[in-house]
Amino acid sequence: MALDLASAPNFRPSFKYFTWQTALLGMIGSIIMTFIVSVEYASIAIGLMISLLTVLYFRDFPPEWGSISQALIFHQVRKYLLLLDTRKDHVKFWRPQIILLISNPRSCIPLIDFGNDVKKGGLFVLGNVKVGKFDDFEEDPCTKEMPSWMNLVDTLKVKAFIELTLNSSVKEGIHNLIRISGLGGMKPNTVMMGFYDNSMPEDLLKNRPLTKKRNILQYGMTNPLNANGGSTIPMSFFENLRTSNDENRLDMDSYVDLIRDVLKMKKNLCLCRQFSTLNKENLRQKSNPIYIDVWPLNFLIPESCIQLDSTSLFMLQLACILNMVSVWKKATLRVYLCSDNSDNVENMRRKARLDDLLNQLRIQAMTTLIPMQNVRDLLNRPIITETDLPHYQQSGTSHEILNVSDIYLKAANQLIKQHSDNASICYLYLPPPPFFKKPQVPENSRLNNPAFNASSSSSNLMQEQYTVENDIDITQTTAFINTTQDTNSENNSKYMRILEQLSDSLPPCVFVNGVSCVTSTHL
């Protein structure tokens, strides 16, 4: 009957009159007959059957004949996924659906644990890109490595799906992962990545203890992560970590382009830095106070402190969700309201409005007003008025906003460090990346003239006639394109320098940028 309900294609009964109704009738008749014969023995037999099923489930012995539960689960999941309609989404039922992009799991164990904590019953996907061409491999490397990744998920005891892809470049591979991960209405709405810097990755998987529960997999396979019989995970299943002599798999310009592309795809973005210092065992010790700090201010535009945008609300939502997890439940949520206004009355009004907003959102947090007028005075640009503020709060950061002095960045970093030095994790505002300038051919260029291109390709004689002029024109156009690319690279370098200096020597911090509404007071 269960096989019929699961619609398994290989279940083809030879009994002519088989239906799930006749199977159910036969099962009920058999149970009744056992109790008619002997109530005592029937009760003992049913009790023994339930005990054996319980032992088989928890000991997880390998069923060589297959498990009917997998077929039933697949049937039900497919049915309800078809009922999950994204057009009926409502902010009241929003939850984070996260895809965590991983270069090497050896250095990302705390980040995987953090993503598992913050998902709050939502989708959690671990994505990895392998660089290469498919023809260069004898077999698909993604299929080959999938069992090791799945066993890593079992070992870390996280509820995550695995998505691996092969591409000639990391950037294009990440694009594919973001677009195709998930199924139906369960698609990632938040992308989580590590931070781009020159620090050497630390092998955090080397001495990670294995879980003692379920060392035998469902299909009769011994756990390859424990193949050496030891209590730690062997190192032969994942690539070696990058050393000082190796180059990054992703250059800085491509990394900033990825940030820009993720926001263009309307996905929320989290950049996580210094998570190698996050130790959840210390969080479980009752003697240590735990703080989750939120700084809902774009430090590149401190004038925006007068309002909370979608990114600020997304930061509050993520911090509140983390505070609901058992390990982080005893943590104190602290929200720092920065102000560059010297009017104390106005500052107290803003703090009261923030407290009222948190109360309406049912977020229990301790708010603190931080005067930053002295820090604001270190900015080497004029103050942006409230009327001009929307012009600068666009999808990209303009060139004049990026030209911020190192003195201001160090002062802002010291301000954060002064109040969040004892925090377990900090949420910081991620400014939009700089605008991307597309290289364009000058209008007076012959390469931009269709008539010239058509005529020059019509005969070899005409091509030879314009050879010298065409070479000069190509040289000028190439110089123009290179200048545009240099400008983009310079802006990208300034952007990453800003993020690096803001988060220098801080506790584990998450740069957050939200693109959609995730909470509302009108519920």
Side-chain angles (χ1 to χ4, degrees):
M1 183 179 67
L3 287 171
D4 185 59
L5 293 176
S7 301
N10 285 325
F11 178 64
R12 296 182 287 270
S14 58
F15 181 52
K16 182 178 180 181
Y17 300 103
F18 174 83
T19 61
W20 70 268
Q21 293 92 340
T22 57
L24 179 62
L25 183 63
M27 182 185 71
I28 295 175
S30 298
I31 294 176
I32 292 174
M33 286 301 300
T34 55
F35 279 96
I36 290 176
V37 173
S38 175
V39 177
E40 294 81 6
Y41 287 114
S43 302
I44 293 174
I46 292 176
L48 288 174
M49 181 184 68
I50 295 175
S51 301
L52 286 174
L53 289 175
T54 305
V55 171
L56 288 172
Y57 176 78
F58 284 103
R59 292 298 301 273
D60 206 4
F61 290 111
E64 297 180 0
W65 56 87
S67 176
I68 185 61
S69 63
Q70 294 297 307
L72 290 172
I73 291 172
F74 178 87
H75 179 74
Q76 292 299 108
V77 168
R78 183 194 64 85
K79 182 175 70 173
Y80 286 110
L81 270 177
L82 291 173
L83 296 177
L84 194 59
D85 192 348
T86 56
R87 295 169 297 182
K88 299 179 181 178
D89 287 345
H90 193 275
V91 65
K92 186 193 307 184
F93 309 110
W94 182 91
R95 66 184 67 217
Q97 316 247 41
I98 299 172
I99 176 170
L100 173 60
L101 302 176
I102 297 175
S103 175
N104 194 319
R106 293 181 182 224
S107 59
C108 300
I109 302 302
L111 191 53
I112 295 175
D113 285 334
F114 173 74
N116 186 65
D117 288 340
V118 81
K119 72 180 187 302
K120 187 52 180 175
L123 180 68
F124 185 36
V125 180
L126 302 181
N128 177 261
V129 178
K130 301 197 69 63
V131 180
K133 295 182 178 180
F134 191 76
D135 295 337
D136 296 338
F137 298 91
E138 295 182 359
E139 58 178 315
D140 186 8
C142 298
T143 305
K144 184 179 179 181
E145 288 193 8
M146 181 62 76
S148 299
W149 281 86
M150 296 183 68
N151 287 310
L152 175 67
V153 168
D154 291 338
T155 301
L156 299 179
K157 292 194 279 190
V158 296
K159 299 177 181 179
F161 297 95
I162 307 297
E163 288 288 352
L164 308 179
T165 189
L166 178 69
N167 204 289
S168 57
S169 70
V170 177
K171 180 180 175 181
E172 294 299 325
I174 291 177
H175 282 182
N176 294 338
L177 284 177
I178 296 175
R179 292 184 184 279
I180 68 176
S181 294
L183 185 64
M186 296 185 64
K187 304 285 287 186
N189 56 27
T190 303
V191 178
M192 189 177 291
M193 298 192 298
F195 193 81
Y196 185 92
D197 54 22
N198 295 323
S199 61
M200 289 297 102
E202 182 182 353
D203 197 339
L204 303 174
L205 194 60
K206 186 175 182 179
N207 298 320
R208 175 88 179 196
L210 277 172
T211 177
K212 296 182 180 180
K213 185 179 179 180
R214 293 196 180 192
N215 287 330
I216 300 177
L217 301 184
Q218 290 185 346
Y219 300 104
M221 298 169 54
T222 304
N223 192 337
L225 292 177
N226 198 21
N228 59 350
S231 59
T232 58
I233 301 175
M235 295 292 100
S236 59
F237 295 97
F238 301 105
E239 298 177 356
N240 294 325
L241 290 174
R242 175 174 57 89
T243 62
S244 57
N245 298 324
D246 300 329
E247 294 183 358
N248 276 319
R249 298 176 64 200
L250 197 67
D251 60 90
M252 184 186 63
D253 290 334
S254 298
Y255 183 82
V256 179
D257 288 342
L258 270 178
I259 296 176
R260 191 181 293 110
D261 295 343
V262 168
L263 298 180
K264 188 185 297 184
M265 294 179 188
K266 298 301 179 183
K267 306 289 185 183
N268 304 308
L269 180 61
C270 297
L271 303 182
C272 305
R273 190 183 188 193
Q274 296 170 349
F275 267 75
S276 59
T277 61
L278 179 63
N279 190 348
K280 292 183 68 174
E281 296 300 325
N282 294 337
L283 301 179
R284 294 186 174 93
Q285 298 179 7
K286 298 183 178 180
S287 58
N288 297 332
I290 305 175
Y291 297 106
I292 303 173
D293 288 359
V294 180
W295 293 80
L297 171 67
N298 184 356
F299 280 94
L300 291 186
I301 310 178
E303 296 88 349
S304 63
C305 63
I306 60 176
Q307 59 186 5
L308 295 179
D309 57 5
S310 59
T311 296
S312 302
L313 295 177
F314 183 55
M315 296 168 66
L316 294 173
Q317 181 80 320
L318 289 181
C320 179
I321 291 174
L322 186 64
N323 201 193
M324 297 168 67
V325 181
S326 58
V327 179
W328 298 86
K329 189 164 288 187
K330 65 175 183 178
T332 302
L333 180 58
R334 302 186 297 191
V335 180
Y336 292 102
L337 179 63
C338 298
S339 175
D340 59 352
N341 194 338
S342 58
D343 188 353
N344 292 330
V345 177
E346 178 61 25
N347 290 335
M348 295 308 297
R349 288 176 182 171
R350 290 184 50 217
K351 184 177 182 301
R353 286 197 297 267
L354 177 60
D355 291 334
D356 182 62
L357 175 64
L358 294 175
N359 184 49
Q360 293 183 50
L361 296 176
R362 299 170 301 282
I363 297 178
Q364 296 182 358
M366 181 176 64
T367 59
T368 305
L369 184 65
I370 305 295
M372 58 170 300
Q373 187 174 7
N374 295 333
V375 177
R376 166 64 187 84
D377 293 338
L378 298 176
L379 268 177
N380 53 343
R381 60 168 176 80
I383 297 177
I384 301 175
T385 61
E386 187 174 350
T387 55
D388 295 335
L389 196 58
H391 171 71
Y392 293 93
Q393 292 178 319
Q394 300 177 2
S395 58
T397 302
S398 59
H399 178 73
E400 57 268 25
I401 297 298
L402 286 175
N403 288 331
V404 61
S405 64
D406 291 342
I407 299 177
Y408 170 77
L409 293 176
K410 291 180 180 178
N413 174 257
Q414 290 297 324
L415 179 68
I416 300 173
K417 192 183 303 182
Q418 177 184 353
H419 294 88
S420 297
D421 189 50
N422 61 343
S424 299
I425 190 170
C426 290
Y427 286 94
L428 302 179
Y429 193 111
L430 176 64
F435 288 109
F436 178 75
K437 294 184 178 180
K438 297 181 180 180
Q440 297 177 352
V441 179
E443 294 181 0
N444 58 354
S445 173
R446 295 181 183 271
L447 297 181
N448 211 18
N449 189 345
F452 173 80
N453 293 332
S455 61
S456 62
S457 61
S458 60
S459 65
N460 294 330
L461 180 62
M462 191 169 293
Q463 287 180 358
E464 294 177 359
Q465 180 180 356
Y466 291 101
T467 297
V468 178
E469 295 184 25
N470 198 22
D471 288 342
I472 296 175
D473 191 67
I474 291 175
T475 304
Q476 295 174 349
T477 304
T478 304
F480 180 81
I481 294 176
N482 290 337
T483 302
T484 305
Q485 292 176 345
D486 292 341
T487 302
N488 288 330
S489 297
E490 181 183 356
N491 290 337
N492 293 340
S493 178
K494 290 180 181 180
Y495 180 73
M496 292 306 301
R497 175 183 62 86
I498 290 170
L499 299 184
E500 189 170 352
Q501 291 192 17
L502 279 178
S503 57
D504 182 42
S505 302
L506 289 181
C509 54
V510 184
F511 282 99
V512 178
N513 191 294
V515 297
S516 59
C517 181
V518 298
T519 185
S520 174
T521 58
H522 304 287
L523 297 179

